[in-house]
Amino acid sequence: MTTTVEHPALTPATLGGLALRNRYAVAPMSRVSARPDGTPTGEMADYYAEFARGGFGLVFSEGTYPDSAASQGYLNQPGLARDEHVAGWRVVTAGVRAAGGRMIAQLMHAGAIAQGHPNTVGPSAVQPRGEKMRAYGGSGPWPVPRELTTAEIDDIVDGFAAAAVRARQAGFDGIEVHAANGYLLDQFLTDYTNQRTDSYGGPVANRIRLTARVVTAVAEAVPELVTGVRLSQTKVNDFTYRWPGGRADAEVIFAAVAEAGAQYLHIASEGRNWLETAKLADGGTITALARQATGLPVIANGGMHDLAQAHEVLTGGHADLLSIGHGALANPDLPARVAAAEPLAEFDRAMVSPTVTVANARRWRESRQA
């Protein structure tokens, strides 16, 4: 006999008009498991549907490249850059929806930290910090990117909008603009990677301009879908970075994307615990500030499989939904387990070693079952 746990994460929620059965979301996690041409596979469809069958109300796609010029970040990364990608994603979204979940496509331009594309571009010709990620097939230092022209920036905005239309055709319920974790839009926002002297550089209001333009373009291209934006201070290649202006910068950033048409904000922690990256100097949290500054729903990320922390985040006014990464990989049925008061499995890094592919995780599970 099981006992139902009335955890606040199990209550229904609404995200920009999208009704969700609970407040649990699967975080976007790159799995580099698509075909070489960027088309999603049947194995990917099974992977995503499993989360919906396990009770997750919302499932985010992994970062998906929007154009064929320079946005692809990794080899075998899925795309929404061409019409042939649509059919593959349509199978994925249909599986999630059939299991009672909803799915949002995260559109991501890698920019200067593209390790599966020879044409790296960025806001300025500044070499990214750190080295390419081995788990995603990379090695060695990042190259110095080529600085984008204003005409190319316009093309990038158009590419996001066109990809959003393809996402609608593929059956997605919404679009998330990936402006976090050190990828292109975040490179424009970051002071040390953006050395431009035009309207995209200098003060934070200029550095957030490209993200705002993309959000507006997406929202106008697919007004019937939910449009949101993912932001972070930390990056895949810089875990210590914080917005230099602290609360003042955050308020400018949040106001800009809200005015641009974002219907929710997703604040990423880049593999860190939420409290580690969310805490502000004055004792508040960046997720609570996002809610207060915009009045929009906020999704918190970072250790949200911890039931006590998740409870505090939701009941303490810090966020409205929770996105879960490693905890979801270890527990694709996490919401069902929470509802039944069943213990959660611990994440094993071997699930994503030596690479983060879906096939590698499947082999790990099969070895455990043997």
Side-chain angles (χ1 to χ4, degrees):
M1 181 177 179
T2 58
T3 303
T4 300
V5 176
E6 295 297 333
H7 194 284
L10 298 174
T11 61
T14 301
L15 193 68
L18 184 64
L20 303 172
R21 59 186 173 188
N22 57 45
R23 297 171 189 270
Y24 279 123
V26 179
M29 292 178 281
S30 293
R31 304 312 304 270
V32 291
S33 297
R35 296 192 181 98
D37 69 350
T39 301
T41 65
E43 186 174 48
M44 288 172 60
D46 292 340
Y47 160 76
Y48 281 112
E50 185 178 17
F51 294 117
R53 291 194 297 268
F56 280 93
L58 179 62
V59 178
F60 285 101
S61 82
E62 58 206 282
T64 302
Y65 63 89
D67 65 63
S68 298
S71 64
Q72 184 176 353
Y74 313 113
L75 297 175
N76 297 105
Q77 178 187 6
L80 274 165
R82 298 187 295 276
D83 291 340
E84 54 262 41
H85 293 155
V86 172
W89 277 119
R90 193 176 286 133
V91 177
V92 177
T93 61
V96 170
R97 184 172 289 107
R102 295 293 178 263
M103 192 165 187
I104 289 178
Q106 187 191 72
L107 298 181
M108 173 190 122
H109 192 305
I113 60 171
Q115 58 187 44
H117 200 290
N119 179 24
T120 59
V121 297
S124 305
V126 175
Q127 184 177 30
R129 295 179 178 176
E131 293 189 344
K132 297 178 182 179
M133 294 170 281
R134 293 186 180 276
Y136 296 94
S139 63
W142 306 98
V144 177
R146 179 177 57 79
E147 182 173 311
L148 287 161
T149 67
T150 53
E152 288 174 318
I153 290 172
D154 291 342
D155 289 341
I156 287 170
V157 175
D158 292 342
F160 271 94
V165 172
R166 294 188 194 97
R168 179 185 62 197
Q169 295 167 348
F172 284 98
D173 298 290
I175 306 295
E176 178 166 281
V177 174
H178 196 357
N181 305 126
Y183 297 106
L184 181 69
L185 301 185
D186 189 34
Q187 291 159 26
F188 271 81
L189 179 56
T190 300
D191 58 353
Y192 67 80
T193 53
N194 185 346
Q195 301 296 310
R196 300 178 74 95
T197 57
D198 60 7
S199 61
Y200 293 100
V204 66
N206 284 358
R207 289 184 276 114
I208 192 62
R209 188 184 305 276
L210 178 55
T211 298
R213 283 193 63 195
V214 170
V215 169
T216 296
V218 167
E220 291 179 348
V222 288
E224 65 275 39
L225 300 189
V226 177
T227 297
V229 61
R230 195 179 209 214
L231 297 160
S232 72
Q233 300 190 86
T234 54
K235 313 171 190 306
V236 296
N237 62 324
D238 185 350
F239 294 140
T240 63
Y241 183 78
R242 298 292 186 273
W243 294 330
R247 175 179 284 268
D249 276 10
E251 289 175 341
V252 172
I253 292 164
F254 296 151
V257 296
E259 185 178 351
Q263 294 169 282
Y264 72 85
L265 305 180
H266 186 178
I267 310 300
S269 292
E270 191 45 59
R272 271 41 184 178
N273 184 275
W274 162 79
L275 193 59
E276 179 184 339
T277 57
K279 202 78 169 178
L280 295 170
D282 60 9
T285 64
I286 201 157
T287 48
L289 176 59
R291 294 179 82 235
Q292 296 159 8
T294 66
L296 296 172
V298 170
I299 304 174
N301 169 253
M304 293 303 154
H305 60 279
D306 182 302
L307 297 184
Q309 177 169 260
H311 192 286
E312 167 59 22
V313 167
L314 292 175
T315 60
H318 299 284
D320 303 275
L321 283 87
L322 314 168
S323 77
I324 300 177
H326 287 165
L329 292 180
N331 303 273
D333 58 347
L334 185 144
R337 286 176 179 248
V338 173
E342 295 178 356
L344 300 181
E346 292 288 331
F347 171 72
D348 184 347
R349 189 155 292 279
M351 294 181 69
V352 292
S353 300
T355 59
V356 298
T357 62
V358 173
N360 189 71
R362 174 177 48 78
R363 286 191 291 269
W364 177 88
R365 288 187 182 181
E366 290 172 351
S367 70
R368 287 302 184 93
Q369 295 168 357

